[in-house]
């Protein structure tokens, strides 16, 4: 789902045939459709399968305010992701926003006062090295966009923050990913309006020649459906595992995505370009392996306090 959404968003954001310069509107529409799908399926829950078991949704201003910090991070994440994708190729998208693990380490230290082992730091060093090598190779090929790099770094930071805040905010909605997805996207829709006004996207839409095209709205609706699916699955993964596990599976997905993008767009990449991707993936794998060993050691050590076990798990 995530891979399909990346390719579809690349079309919506940067297609020469579409020529739509309104990345915030694309993201806003996907959030609005996600919220509408959540509400629609919730209303259908009383009808039995396949909607049976879904919680009834109603907008509680108090809960909405509690979810607002996550919504702000969520907006930063989806917007910076899309802006990065708009300015870089799908093949480089993985490397461009590969610093999520590095930001996990930094935020764990700054926010949670958790230290990181030397081996995990070395793995982060490999990821950073792969990132800079990838930037260098994009520059050598003449396809480097510093704007895309900036938004890729910002996206990495926001992805890390989003995983942490999702875990933190879940108790507010009684652990329900369904309710969290609904509140998060409703808040995002409200926050997107002033941003679109400030950036003049309403004017862009007014002059957009395909605004009445059924095929355009079909692609937009498909993108919104993918956004709904990936948002729900991401929340479930973080709920039942950890932010670390979520970022690791995202890295594995990025490997397949990179290869597919190179094949689909018929690109030719240098040996060093592929090396940068392997460094990013290898560093991410090494970090996961090290953290997995550390978590297992903590869980097996009877002298470790319960609070320390939970911190290491996160």
């Amino acid at each position: 789902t995530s891979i399909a959404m990346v390719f579809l968003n690349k079309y919506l954001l940067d297609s020469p045939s579409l020529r739509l310069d309104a990345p915030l509107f694309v993201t806003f529409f996907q959030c609005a459709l996600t919220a509408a799908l959540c509400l629609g399926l919730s209303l259908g829950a009383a009808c039995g399968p396949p909607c049976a078991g879904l919680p009834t949704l109603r907008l509680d201003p108090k809960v909405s305010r509690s979810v607002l910090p996550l919504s702000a991070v969520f907006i930063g994440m989806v917007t910076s992701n899309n802006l990065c994708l708009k300015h870089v190729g799908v093949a480089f998208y993985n490397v461009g926003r590969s610093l999520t693990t590095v930001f996990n380490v930094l935020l764990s230290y700054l926010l949670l006062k958790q230290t990181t082992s030397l081996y995990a730091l070395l793995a982060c060093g490999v990821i950073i090295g792969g990132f800079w090598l990838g930037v260098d190779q994009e520059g050598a090929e003449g396809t480097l966009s510093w704007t895309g790099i900036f938004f890729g770094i910002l996206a990495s930071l926001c992805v890390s923050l989003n995983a942490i805040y999702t875990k933190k905010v879940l108790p507010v909605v009684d652990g329900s990913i369904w309710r969290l997805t609904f509140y998060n996207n409703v808040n995002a829709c409200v926050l997107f309006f002033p941003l679109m006004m400030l950036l003049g996207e309403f004017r862009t839409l007014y002059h957009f020649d395909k605004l009445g095209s059924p095929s355009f709205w079909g692609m937009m609706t498909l993108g919104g459906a993918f956004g709904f699916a990936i948002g729900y699955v991401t929340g479930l993964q973080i709920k039942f595992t950890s932010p670390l596990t979520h970022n690791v599976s995202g890295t594995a997905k990025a490997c397949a995505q990179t290869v597919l993008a190179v094949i689909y767009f018929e690109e030719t990449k240098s040996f060093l370009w592929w090396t940068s991707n392997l460094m990013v993936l290898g560093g991410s794998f090494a970090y996961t392996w090290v953290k997995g060993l550390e978590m297992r050691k903590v869980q097996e050590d009877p002298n470790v306090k319960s609070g320390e076990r939970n911190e290491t798990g996160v």
Side-chain angles (χ1 to χ4, degrees), residues 276-288:
S276 72
N277 278 268
L278 290 175
M279 287 177 67
V280 167
L281 294 170
S284 299
F285 172 79
Y287 179 85
T288 309

Side-chain angles (χ1 to χ4, degrees), residues 27-292:
T27 313
F28 161 79
F29 182 84
Q30 292 174 352
C31 291
L33 186 59
T34 297
L37 285 171
C38 284
L39 187 60
L41 291 174
S42 174
L43 292 174
C47 301
C51 299
L54 298 179
T56 303
L57 296 177
R58 63 180 182 86
L59 197 59
D60 185 338
K62 184 179 179 180
V63 175
S64 184
R65 285 194 300 270
S66 299
V67 177
L68 197 58
L70 172 63
S71 301
V73 173
F74 174 73
I75 281 183
M77 180 184 72
V78 294
T79 302
S80 53
N81 270 334
N82 280 350
L83 288 172
C84 175
L85 185 59
K86 178 179 175 64
H87 291 94
V88 304
V90 176
F92 184 69
Y93 181 59
N94 168 41
V95 174
R97 49 186 294 280
S98 61
L99 300 181
T100 300
T101 301
V102 177
F103 280 117
N104 279 346
V105 172
L106 289 174
L107 293 174
S108 294
Y109 179 75
L110 294 174
L111 301 180
L112 306 175
K113 304 303 178 185
Q114 295 178 9
T115 57
T116 304
S117 67
L118 176 62
Y119 290 116
L121 289 175
L122 288 175
C124 288
V126 174
I127 295 173
I128 294 172
F131 171 79
W132 281 114
L133 180 59
V135 170
D136 176 74
Q137 289 304 297
E138 283 290 301
E141 294 182 3
T143 55
L144 178 63
S145 167
W146 284 108
T147 303
I149 295 299
F150 169 76
F151 284 116
I153 295 173
L154 183 61
S156 299
L157 172 61
C158 290
V159 168
S160 182
L161 283 171
N162 184 73
I164 293 172
Y165 272 92
T166 296
K167 203 82 168 180
K168 185 178 179 181
V169 171
L170 268 172
V172 176
V173 291
D174 302 321
S176 171
I177 293 298
W178 195 257
R179 294 184 67 202
L180 182 61
T181 301
F182 174 69
Y183 277 104
N184 203 19
N185 283 276
V186 168
N187 284 349
C189 288
V190 174
L191 294 174
F192 266 124
F193 258 96
L195 292 174
M196 289 190 293
M197 290 182 65
L198 284 172
L199 296 177
E201 291 201 359
F202 288 113
R203 188 182 304 109
T204 301
L205 289 170
Y206 180 78
H207 295 289
F208 182 52
D209 60 350
K210 294 182 178 61
L211 198 59
S213 169
S215 61
F216 166 70
W217 288 109
M219 295 296 280
M220 288 286 286
T221 302
L222 187 60
F226 280 131
F228 166 78
I230 196 62
Y232 187 64
V233 172
T234 295
L236 281 177
Q237 187 177 46
I238 295 171
K239 177 182 178 180
F240 289 109
T241 58
S242 70
L244 174 63
T245 304
H246 167 61
N247 293 328
V248 168
S249 65
T251 302
K253 181 271 305 186
C255 179
Q257 178 179 290
T258 299
V259 175
L260 286 172
V262 171
I263 295 172
Y264 179 78
F265 292 108
E266 299 179 347
E267 298 173 340
T268 302
K269 299 297 184 181
S270 67
F271 173 76
L272 287 177
W273 188 93
W274 284 109
T275 301
S276 72
N277 278 268
L278 290 175
M279 287 177 67
V280 167
L281 294 170
S284 299
F285 172 79
Y287 179 85
T288 309
W289 183 64
V290 169
K291 294 298 288 185

